Amino acid sequence: MSSIGSMNTTINNNRKLLKNGKRKPFTKMNGVSSKPLGYKQYVMPKVSPHVLRRIRIKTKRGNRRLLIKKIIIGIIVGSIVLYWFYRIQYG
């Protein structure tokens, strides 16, 4: 549960920085966005803990699937390379 609390703390700290004017968002880009012409600040929505928990679970699930895909592709490529070396050596 402490990870949800730290996520909320991060979101609240970012909100405070934007409200106090201590940080100007999107200023380190290509120079075009640093001009103050008609800039409307983004208002961050309130996020409840169960929504953050669902996002975290979904991200972990997606990362796990990506890891499995990488392992499967690695095994396939590795076996093809080993077969190729075997064919070259023993003809």
Side-chain angles (χ1 to χ4, degrees):
M1 287 298 189
S2 67
S3 63
I4 294 174
S6 65
M7 285 188 262
N8 281 332
T9 303
T10 303
I11 289 172
N12 288 333
N13 287 339
N14 288 338
R15 278 194 193 114
K16 288 176 189 175
L17 284 173
L18 287 173
K19 284 181 184 176
N20 295 340
K22 292 181 181 177
R23 183 175 77 90
K24 293 182 181 179
F26 308 116
T27 56
K28 294 184 178 179
M29 296 176 86
N30 57 4
V32 177
S33 61
S34 63
K35 297 177 184 175
L37 298 174
Y39 176 74
K40 182 180 177 185
Q41 264 188 335
Y42 178 72
V43 178
M44 296 185 68
K46 300 282 185 184
V47 181
S48 58
H50 71 278
V51 173
L52 292 175
R53 191 177 310 119
R54 282 192 293 178
I55 291 171
R56 191 177 77 238
I57 291 170
K58 195 174 183 179
T59 304
K60 283 184 179 180
R61 187 178 299 143
N63 287 342
R64 191 179 314 127
R65 287 180 181 168
L66 185 63
L67 177 66
I68 291 171
K69 287 179 184 178
K70 285 181 180 181
I71 290 173
I72 290 172
I73 290 172
I75 289 172
I76 291 171
V77 170
S79 62
I80 290 172
V81 169
L82 286 175
Y83 176 75
W84 185 65
F85 281 131
Y86 177 79
R87 291 283 300 207
I88 287 175
Q89 189 157 0
Y90 297 110

